[in-house]
Every structure is written in C-alpha cells, then in structure tokens.
Amino acid sequence: VVGALPAALLPHGVKTRTLVPGYPAVLQKLKKKKKVGSFDNLFGNPAAVLAAEIDGLDLLVLDQPELYARDGGPYVDATGLDYVDNFRRFAALSLAAAEIAGGDVVAGFKPDIVHAHDWQTALTPVYRHFGPAAATPTVMTIHNIAFQGQFGASVFPELALPPEAFSMQFVEYYGDVGFLKGGLQ
C-alpha cells in the first residue's frame, strides 16, 4: 500500500516522499543516496536521513543501524520472535517523521500533509501534537487492524513524550501504551 499509493497519486499532481526504516534490504537497494538530514540523539543513538529513489519512489530513509540493521524481518528476529524493542524502533521512526514534518530536518522540505500508516508510524501525530509540526495536517490509515502496537505501560517513560500523553486522550489504552490508539486520537 505504501509503495502503491505514491504512484496512484502522481497522475493527480500529488508528489509524495515516503519515510522508511533503514533496513538492510532497503539500504542495499539504494543506488544513489544523499544524506539530507540527521539526528544527534534519536532514542540514544545518532541517525541519518538519506534521500534516494527506488523503483520510482521518492524515499527518505532513516538510517539508524542500532534499531534497523538486524537479522530477521522488519518486526521479528531470525527465530520468528518479536524484537523486544519494537516499541522503541517504531517510536524512533514516528519521532523522526514528526520532526521532518516540522521542516527543520531536511532543508527545503516541509510537507503539506503527513500520512501515518498503521501502528508503526501511529505515534507521528502524537509527537506532532507535542512538538513543532502541530499545524501540519495528518491522515492516519489502517491497513491491518489486527496489529495495533500495544505495549506495556512500562515503555512509556522511554517514548520521549510528556506525562500528559499517557492519558485516554492520547496513548493510554486499557492501562497499556497503544500506538494505533494514540494515532487515531
């Protein structure tokens, strides 16, 4: 869906840039890449924002090897178990998206709208609400409601959100942290 939507919007004059994690498979496909932004400390480590094009998609790639350069799949390790820090991996992606939307990370780029897709980027609107890009409109879509990004409340202090974000109006979900719930709120 995330790959098909930009191609479907282009004939209607809508230009898109898609932020994706710097998984090894993504980085290997980058023929030409350019560093267009960086974070000194994104959840404990520096990160680079790379601009590239793959198969006609205008991409921004969040290159933070500590979070994304792993064996296994995007969400599970080589044994098929969820990465225990998935909450941090996708909170970092969401925070990066929110900061990029603020216009201060990638020179000359400030989107007119932010499209957050599924639980993996659902904290983007929450970070935007509490950060510099609050005025940028957001669209939140759900491709698979079976996966909601629900984590124990113990992860909340690691999410770099103010205490008031752990409430029914934001990410609190039956005593846990709900990424998708927060994004929809």
Side-chain angles (χ1 to χ4, degrees):
V1 172
V2 174
L5 185 59
L9 292 173
L10 193 57
H12 301 283
V14 179
K15 186 176 185 310
T16 63
R17 289 186 110 172
T18 304
L19 176 67
V20 296
Y23 298 126
V26 171
L27 293 171
Q28 289 172 1
K29 284 190 170 199
L30 302 182
K31 305 268 188 278
K32 295 180 182 177
K33 61 186 175 200
K34 178 181 178 185
K35 183 178 175 182
V36 294
S38 64
F39 297 93
D40 294 334
N41 182 357
L42 186 63
F43 286 85
N45 294 290
V49 179
L50 309 174
E53 187 178 306
I54 298 177
D55 300 330
L57 292 173
D58 185 359
L59 296 180
L60 294 175
V61 179
L62 182 61
D63 187 16
Q64 189 181 38
E66 295 80 9
L67 295 178
Y68 306 117
R70 300 179 178 183
D71 293 333
Y75 319 112
V76 297
D77 64 21
T79 67
L81 297 175
D82 284 352
Y83 293 114
V84 296
D85 64 345
N86 270 344
F87 72 92
R88 185 177 304 109
R89 297 170 74 228
F90 296 104
L93 182 65
S94 293
L95 181 56
E99 295 285 328
I100 290 168
D104 295 328
V105 176
V106 177
F109 177 69
K110 184 173 180 178
D112 296 323
I113 191 165
V114 174
H115 175 200
H117 184 80
D118 275 334
W119 77 265
Q120 295 87 349
T121 59
L123 284 186
T124 303
V126 179
Y127 286 122
R128 283 186 41 264
H129 177 82
F130 291 104
T136 307
T138 300
V139 173
M140 179 80 223
T141 60
I142 303 168
H143 179 71
N144 189 344
I145 193 74
F147 300 100
Q148 298 185 17
Q150 188 169 346
F151 302 94
S154 62
V155 308
F156 182 78
E158 296 186 54
L159 297 179
L161 286 167
E164 60 267 24
F166 192 72
S167 67
M168 286 182 60
Q169 291 76 29
F170 296 103
V171 302
E172 187 276 329
Y173 187 62
Y174 293 100
D176 287 338
V177 172
F179 280 36
L180 189 58
K181 188 263 186 173
L184 291 172
Q185 283 292 110

